[in-house]
């Protein structure tokens, strides 16, 4: 927040939303005149379902359209993400397994929180939460917001509604690691979204923010668009997520 007054205003708005949020999402959003950087990046596979499969030539694990029938007796980590996670799914999966967990990734380019992405081809994050919830994950990782802040005007109350909606859909029984947002092309929107996450982190013990934005701002981990990952950024991105998951499990 830029001032104590704006922080107080946001806090009041968030408290109001927390009291009245209902998980029934027919949210619509305007489409901007130009696509976000997320959508402008060429994909390595054709997306024909609501969950994009990993490219045939890649070693990334295929996201699950349906929860798997059997999960090993290790802490289950369910991850819902967009193209950042999709581009380095193998590294994220490997880091989470190295941390002693059983990851279930549902990650896809263009994913948004309340609405379908890529002209309806990619399921919304809230839909994916409903799909994965029967697994009863021990930890959730949410890596969403990057596309939402590109498509929506800056509105912290709306951002707060989205985040709270996801937390309510997940339920109170497992910690949630939320990877915050860095966009060089939308710095004000990204900072406003991250401020909402920070406030909710301080108010909700369930929530833990993985501070990717700080890493992205300080280290050479991004592609030239200032949003997506450079080749050398994938491992660092996976580290940030795995470290936050380990901390959540140890808490």
């Amino acid at each position: 927040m830029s001032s104590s007054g704006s922080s107080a205003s946001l806090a009041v708005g968030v408290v109001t939303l927390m009291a009245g949020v209902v998980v029934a999402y027919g949210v619509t959003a305007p489409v901007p005149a130009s696509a976000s950087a997320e959508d402008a990046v060429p994909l390595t596979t054709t997306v024909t379902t609501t969950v994009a499969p990993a490219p045939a030539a890649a070693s990334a694990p295929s996201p699950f359209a349906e929860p798997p029938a059997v999960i090993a007796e290790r802490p289950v980590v369910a991850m819902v993400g967009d193209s950042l996670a999709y581009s380095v799914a193998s590294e994220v999966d490997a880091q989470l397994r190295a941390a002693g967990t059983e990851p279930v990734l549902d990650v896809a380019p263009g994913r948004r929180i309340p609405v379908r992405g890529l002209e309806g081809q990619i399921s919304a994050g809230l839909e994916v939460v409903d799909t994965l919830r029967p697994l009863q994950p021990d930890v959730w990782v949410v890596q969403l917001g990057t596309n939402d802040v590109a498509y929506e005007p800056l509105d912290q109350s709306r951002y707060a509604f989205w985040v709270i909606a996801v937390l309510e859909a997940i339920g109170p029984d497992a910690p949630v690691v939320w990877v915050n947002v860095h966009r060089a092309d939308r710095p004000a929107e990204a900072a406003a979204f991250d401020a909402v996450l920070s406030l909710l982190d301080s108010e909700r013990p369930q929530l833990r923010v993985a501070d990717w934005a700080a890493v992205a701002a300080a280290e050479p981990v991004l592609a030239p668009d200032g949003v997506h990952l450079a080749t050398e950024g994938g491992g660092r991105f996976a580290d940030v997520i795995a470290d936050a998951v380990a901390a959540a499990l140890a808490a």
Side-chain angles (χ1 to χ4, degrees):
M1 298 292 112
S2 59
S3 68
S4 59
S6 61
S7 296
S9 176
L10 174 58
V12 170
V14 169
V15 169
T16 302
L17 286 167
M18 290 170 67
V21 66
V22 177
V23 184
Y25 309 99
V27 182
T28 58
V31 177
S34 60
S36 70
E38 184 81 48
D39 300 336
V41 175
L43 302 179
T44 56
T45 186
T46 300
V47 179
T48 56
T49 62
T50 58
V51 179
S59 57
S62 297
F64 290 89
E66 296 293 338
V70 178
I71 292 294
E73 292 185 1
R74 306 202 303 172
V76 175
V77 177
M79 181 172 184
V80 184
D82 59 34
S83 70
L84 274 72
Y86 178 81
S87 67
V88 292
S90 289
E91 291 171 272
V92 173
D93 181 81
Q95 289 279 21
L96 290 174
R97 290 183 186 280
T101 72
E102 185 70 22
V104 178
L105 308 182
D106 192 321
V107 297
R111 176 162 285 151
R112 297 168 64 185
I113 297 170
V115 297
R116 288 177 169 251
L118 293 186
E119 300 181 350
Q121 297 182 70
I122 299 298
S123 56
L126 285 164
E127 295 176 26
V128 177
V129 168
D130 286 340
T131 300
L132 296 180
R133 192 169 49 228
L135 291 175
Q136 298 182 322
D138 297 278
V139 179
W140 290 79
V141 177
V142 181
Q143 187 267 304
L144 296 173
T146 305
N147 294 304
D148 299 277
V149 301
Y151 275 84
E152 295 275 349
L154 198 163
D155 184 340
Q156 287 186 301
S157 293
R158 192 168 175 82
Y159 297 167
F161 180 82
W162 295 339
V163 176
I164 294 169
V166 173
L167 297 178
E168 294 293 325
I170 287 171
D173 296 331
V176 178
V177 171
W178 199 303
V179 184
N180 64 9
V181 172
H182 178 89
R183 287 196 74 113
D185 61 341
R186 300 284 199 285
E189 290 86 347
F193 188 90
D194 291 347
V196 168
L197 284 177
S198 294
L199 178 61
L200 290 171
D201 183 17
S202 69
E203 295 182 347
R204 289 201 167 202
Q206 175 192 27
L207 181 62
R208 178 184 299 269
V209 175
D211 197 359
W212 170 247
V215 174
E219 300 179 22
V221 292
L222 297 179
D225 66 2
V227 179
H228 294 88
L229 301 174
T231 301
E232 60 273 20
R236 191 71 178 94
F237 182 76
D239 285 343
V240 169
I241 293 171
D243 289 348
V245 168
L249 286 170

